[in-house]
Amino acid sequence: MLKICKLGEEVLRKKSVPIKDEEINDELRALAEEMFETMESANGVGLACPQIGKNIRMFVAEADDDVKRVFINPQIIATSDDSVPYEEGCLSVPQVYENIMRPSKVTVQAQDQNGKKFTLEAEGLLARIIQHENDHLEGVIFIDRGDADFAKKTAEQFAKRAERAAQKAAEKEAKAKKIAAKIAAKKAAKEAKKNNA
């Protein structure tokens, strides 16, 4: 499984670079498969490359029609006039949900995992996923499109979480070093005793 980056990690805020035709190869196809596996194991419906630490323009999606789709270098070329609210979540912002307004239909142009260009008109959940994941490629997270105070509070909450995790990791490392030093000291004392005997 791939590691999913969380809110606060710099990679999620960078604009992703286009993928060249010669880069659409077996390695990229394998990455797309790994992304599907990671997404499914986390109960997600979409996953973009910045979420796995890669700032390249690709995302994968599987909506309620159960079709696995790969979008390389996607461009949303049209959106419907009407917008609808929907409670969104994100694998990079776990256990946080907010109603976000987005156009109900989109038309997207992209390349598939074999480099073949396609145009897709989507509505409902698929349209929502495409817009959400495409935002990731621009360094935008769904909370940015909602209430500003909510976004600020969420970012602060995740910064505190990251701080606590870093503190725990540092404590764990210090403890391990202390134990290693004790073992080394015991070993040295044993060795000295042996040499003096």
Side-chain angles (χ1 to χ4, degrees), residues 94-96 156-166:
Q95 287 145 11
V96 173
E156 284 168 0
Q157 183 189 330
F158 273 78
K160 279 178 189 167
R161 266 192 218 177
E163 214 175 280
R164 280 197 301 268

Side-chain angles (χ1 to χ4, degrees), residues 31 36 73 87 105 119 147 152 154 159 175:
L31 178 66
F36 276 120
N73 300 325
E87 192 178 61
K105 293 177 187 174
T119 301
D147 179 74
K152 192 182 172 203
T154 305
K175 202 176 179 182

Side-chain angles (χ1 to χ4, degrees), residues 38-58:
T38 302
M39 179 190 88
E40 283 162 14
S41 73
N43 295 318
V45 288
L47 189 65
C49 278
Q51 293 180 274
I52 55 153
K54 294 178 185 292
N55 283 119
I56 55 173
R57 299 188 79 82
M58 178 172 84

